[in-house]
């Protein structure tokens, strides 16, 4: 398994080694010893969620107050997503920074994000399914959202999907009404560092 820390401290990309033959393919999706060596902590699983989205569905940016915080280990089981991590930790020197990973049913990548980080997903194909393992059970009193289209964050969302067709963004009313970064009642220091999508895939427009 290849492991890479993202531009947002506290987030990692995990790419499993796929082994295939005439029967199909096999990969190790999680190994505690390798995870703990890379991240420096165990992953405590308390809840598993899954959701399916049409092309253009944008979920997030969602985050959980820390404490208690919620860590996530996320993958795509079918289709494809742009998975975005945003630093929303009060006082972090990289507050507002973001990074992205393409998660899909080809490379089978996973993304781990630590407590206090925001998370957003954009579906790049119809019937795309994401599964995420959580370190905290659903606690609505701690859950919040930030506008995924906030220009102060500046996420470079793609305009086309996996098939090259234009994406028409669809958000929940709650996500569409989410506050901007500047409206969050949290202390900040340092400056924002922006990183554009497209470290691997040509399907991302403008890269």
């Amino acid at each position: 398994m290849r492991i890479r820390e993202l531009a947002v401290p506290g987030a990692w990309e995990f790419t499993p080694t796929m082994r295939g033959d005439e029967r199909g393919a096999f990969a190790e999706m999680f190994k505690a010893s390798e995870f703990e060596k890379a991240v420096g902590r165990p992953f405590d699983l308390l809840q598993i969620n899954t959701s399916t989205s049409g092309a253009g569905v944008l979920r997030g940016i969602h985050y959980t107050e820390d404490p208690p915080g919620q860590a996530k280990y996320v993958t795509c089981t079918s289709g494809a997503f742009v998975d975005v991590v945003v630093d929303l930790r009060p006082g972090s020197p990289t507050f507002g920074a973001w990074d992205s990973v393409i998660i899909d049913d080809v490379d089978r990548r996973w993304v781990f994000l630590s407590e206090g980080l925001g998370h957003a997903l954009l579906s790049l194909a119809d019937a795309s399914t994401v599964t995420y393992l959580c370190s905290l059970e659903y606690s609505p009193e701690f859950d919040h959202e930030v506008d995924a289209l906030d220009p102060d964050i500046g996420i470079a969302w793609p305009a086309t999907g996996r098939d090259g067709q234009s994406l028409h963004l669809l958000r929940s009313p709650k996500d569409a009404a989410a506050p901007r970064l500047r409206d969050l009642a949290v202390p900040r220091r340092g400056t924002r560092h922006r990183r554009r999508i497209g470290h691997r895939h040509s399907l991302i427009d403008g890269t």
Side-chain angles (χ1 to χ4, degrees):
M1 179 176 287
R2 300 190 307 275
I3 303 172
R4 179 178 68 93
E5 188 168 12
L6 300 185
V8 176
W12 284 263
E13 170 194 278
F14 293 78
T15 304
T17 300
M18 303 297 297
R19 296 179 173 87
D21 57 25
E22 66 276 7
R23 299 169 300 165
F26 172 86
E28 294 178 342
M29 297 299 185
F30 179 86
K31 182 177 280 188
S33 58
E34 292 189 14
F35 179 91
E36 293 177 22
K37 182 179 179 180
V39 176
R41 54 171 285 184
F43 182 76
D44 298 318
L45 174 62
L46 292 185
Q47 183 168 323
I48 302 175
N49 302 321
T50 188
S51 66
T52 301
S53 302
V57 170
L58 176 56
R59 301 178 184 271
I61 304 166
H62 300 150
Y63 71 101
T64 302
E65 288 182 28
D66 185 24
Q70 183 187 64
K72 296 177 182 178
Y73 192 56
V74 186
T75 195
C76 172
T77 54
S78 66
F81 293 88
V82 176
D83 187 303
V84 175
V85 179
V86 183
D87 191 347
L88 297 176
R89 295 168 293 196
S92 171
T94 55
F95 183 86
W98 64 273
D99 202 355
S100 67
V101 175
I102 298 292
I103 56 173
D104 60 23
D105 53 12
V106 178
D107 294 312
R108 304 290 184 181
R109 289 187 177 91
W110 290 74
V111 174
F112 173 74
L113 54 151
S114 301
E115 294 85 348
L117 298 179
H119 187 236
L121 290 163
L122 174 62
S123 175
L124 299 175
D126 284 332
S128 292
T129 300
V130 66
T131 297
Y132 47 108
L133 286 59
C134 305
S135 68
L136 179 73
E137 293 183 4
Y138 175 59
S139 305
E141 66 273 24
F142 298 123
D143 287 352
H144 304 284
E145 50 279 324
V146 178
D147 185 3
L149 304 181
D150 182 353
D152 289 337
I153 301 175
I155 298 171
W157 296 111
T160 57
R162 195 185 209 183
D163 60 1
Q165 299 298 309
S166 296
L167 290 175
H168 302 284
L169 297 185
L170 176 62
R171 297 196 286 171
S172 71
K174 187 177 182 181
D175 284 349
R180 292 177 59 172
L181 190 71
R182 66 187 183 191
D183 298 322
L184 298 185
V186 295
R188 306 157 201 180
R189 62 186 174 90
T191 57
R192 292 187 299 277
H193 304 280
R194 299 178 181 175
R195 175 170 178 166
R196 293 184 62 83
I197 294 171
H199 72 269
R200 188 178 66 92
H201 285 258
S202 61
L203 60 82
I204 305 301
D205 251 9
T207 62

